[in-house]
Amino acid sequence: MEVPGEYLVRFQTSSSSLAQGKAVADPASLLASKGIPFEVLHSGKASKRAMSLSSKLTAPAVRPALYHLKNVQKGSKEISDLPGALSVEPNCYIRPFLTTNDSEYSEQWAHQVMESEKAWDISTGSKDIIVAVSDTGVDYLHPDLKDQMWVNQAEAQGASGVDDDNNGCVDDIYGCDFADEDGDPKPATSTGGEHGTHVAGIIGAVGNNGLGVAGINWNVRIMAVKGFSDSSELAKTDDLLKTVYYAADNGAHVINCSWGANQSPSSAERDAFSYALDMGMVVVVAAGNSAANAREFSPAGISKVITVASSNSRNELSSFSNYGTGIDVMAPGGDAPQFGGRDEKILSTVPGGRYVGLRGTSMAAPYVAGLAALVLSINPDLTNSDVEDIIVKSADEFSVTVPRSSNLKYTYGRINARKAAEAALASLPQPDPVPDCPPGQQCSQQGGGNPASRSADVSNAITSGFGGCSNEMRARSNTNKAEAPMAAFFLPLIILMILRRKK
């Protein structure tokens, strides 16, 4: 559904035009001369963060500038005739991907399906990894989330009412609310605001604290980027694109977008997600809940993002889930009996310190976003394409049938947290091998010439920093104690043999 009188216009930037030997008028001056109210969503210039990353990645790409035009009285034809206008697209209302919502609680069966417990033996996450939740907001006071929130220290320690870090959002301590134009991303509970808090809990509700539920990360930083207004269940495209740019420019490693519309992706959306990918972010989006082809939905149909379908506890495609060749991976999202599926939900956090079961690809996507953060906690040097590769290749493959069309069959991978964590562990640089013991010299404590022993030492060295190693540590300690009496027995004999040789 279009927002009346509002358009998203991509303009050729002066830098790209000069590179092609062309001159172009300033879009702001053109729009001002015509009396058209506008807002610059993105200038097309590389941010300071992009420039700082340019040594690690390729040079920041020059992109079209994106303008949000408001209160346009005439149609789009006059706008498209503006010099330098590359595309003119309507600003649209977007819904979060959610199917049903009731008070029934369910068990966290998803962790059992994905083998999360074995992944947690390797890592339970890291506070160094930031996951942006582009959604209806996050209740940063929820007891299972308050210690997991990203904190913008410049604003937390700055002056109230001042944009201390000059990032365009005032007092954005935990994130930013672009729909209501303030720095408080806490959701409204009267208009479906629980959606974003539910997503955040799947990603990073504190684990092993004796309270509520456990997210796929027990340790993480959640950045709340709110694109849905407190007064409506709908969001406008421009506000959601602001969440993507904000997350990319403010250091998020992963972004989860559990929202979309049944329309092909616009050029403005493609630009925003390309920018996020160029900045190194892992971009995860929900496939949609219309039991239709995901390529016809946005942003699910954008290439290079991770598009997530929903599965039930039997690793079947959920009855409501979108499908098609554009699906990259499946993750648990529950199922719905009214569509012929199982009655299953995903239990997670909602505002007010509560826990509720919901179902949808909105719930499946944050399992993938959370797993991406878990993988990065093990090896933070992985690129976003490396992370996607690990998640997709470590998934358990299943042949699925589209529930409402028995003629459509696909082979999809359902994420496996244990396998992904193991693959991330294997991607770490390995220590140099210990050389074999030369004859007549004492072997090192690291296994000497025994390849099996050296392999064990490498494994112990790698895993000791990620938790779950207490048993191995005790085993090594017990082995050392057992070796002590043996050494005491053989040492006198060795000394006696040396003395005899000298005689």
Side-chain angles (χ1 to χ4, degrees), residues 460 464 469 471-481:
N460 289 332
S464 62
C469 297
N471 290 335
E472 289 98 329
M473 293 292 284
R474 283 196 294 271
R476 290 197 296 273
S477 177
N478 291 340
T479 300
N480 291 339
K481 290 178 181 178

Side-chain angles (χ1 to χ4, degrees), residues 20-208:
Q20 300 171 19
K22 301 177 181 178
V24 63
D26 175 38
S29 300
L30 284 170
L31 295 172
S33 67
K34 293 182 176 294
I36 301 175
F38 66 89
E39 175 188 12
V40 181
L41 297 188
H42 199 263
S43 66
K45 298 178 181 178
S47 67
K48 291 181 179 179
R49 181 168 182 256
M51 295 302 293
S52 68
L53 290 173
S54 62
S55 60
K56 301 179 182 178
L57 307 172
T58 57
V62 177
R63 300 196 177 280
L66 180 59
Y67 280 64
H68 173 209
L69 275 56
K70 309 174 185 179
N71 302 322
V72 178
Q73 301 302 319
K74 299 180 181 180
S76 60
K77 180 65 172 64
E78 181 186 11
I79 303 170
S80 62
D81 288 339
L82 290 173
L86 299 176
S87 65
V88 178
E89 297 160 336
N91 198 18
C92 298
Y93 287 109
I94 308 290
R95 293 184 182 276
F97 280 144
L98 182 66
T99 53
T100 59
N101 175 10
D102 55 52
S103 59
E104 211 173 60
Y105 279 38
S106 65
E107 297 179 358
Q108 283 192 281
W109 53 269
H111 287 312
Q112 309 304 318
V113 169
M114 300 185 303
E115 297 189 271
S116 297
E117 293 89 344
K118 293 181 180 178
W120 292 331
D121 286 339
I122 299 173
S123 175
T124 56
S126 168
K127 295 292 188 183
D128 293 329
I129 306 301
I130 303 169
V131 181
V133 175
S134 170
D135 216 291
T136 61
V138 176
D139 181 5
Y140 47 79
L141 299 179
H142 194 290
D144 239 354
L145 294 174
K146 63 181 182 179
D147 293 331
Q148 303 283 61
M149 298 303 298
W150 169 77
V151 176
N152 184 351
Q153 295 296 338
E155 295 290 345
Q157 300 171 12
S160 178
V162 177
D163 185 4
D164 298 283
D165 56 359
N166 201 31
N167 70 352
C169 192
V170 177
D171 295 339
D172 51 325
I173 297 174
Y174 301 110
C176 192
D177 181 349
F178 293 99
D180 298 301
E181 298 183 348
D182 60 56
D184 186 1
K186 193 175 182 182
T189 57
S190 59
T191 54
E194 64 185 14
H195 189 270
T197 303
H198 198 276
V199 166
I202 293 171
I203 294 169
V206 178
N208 201 33

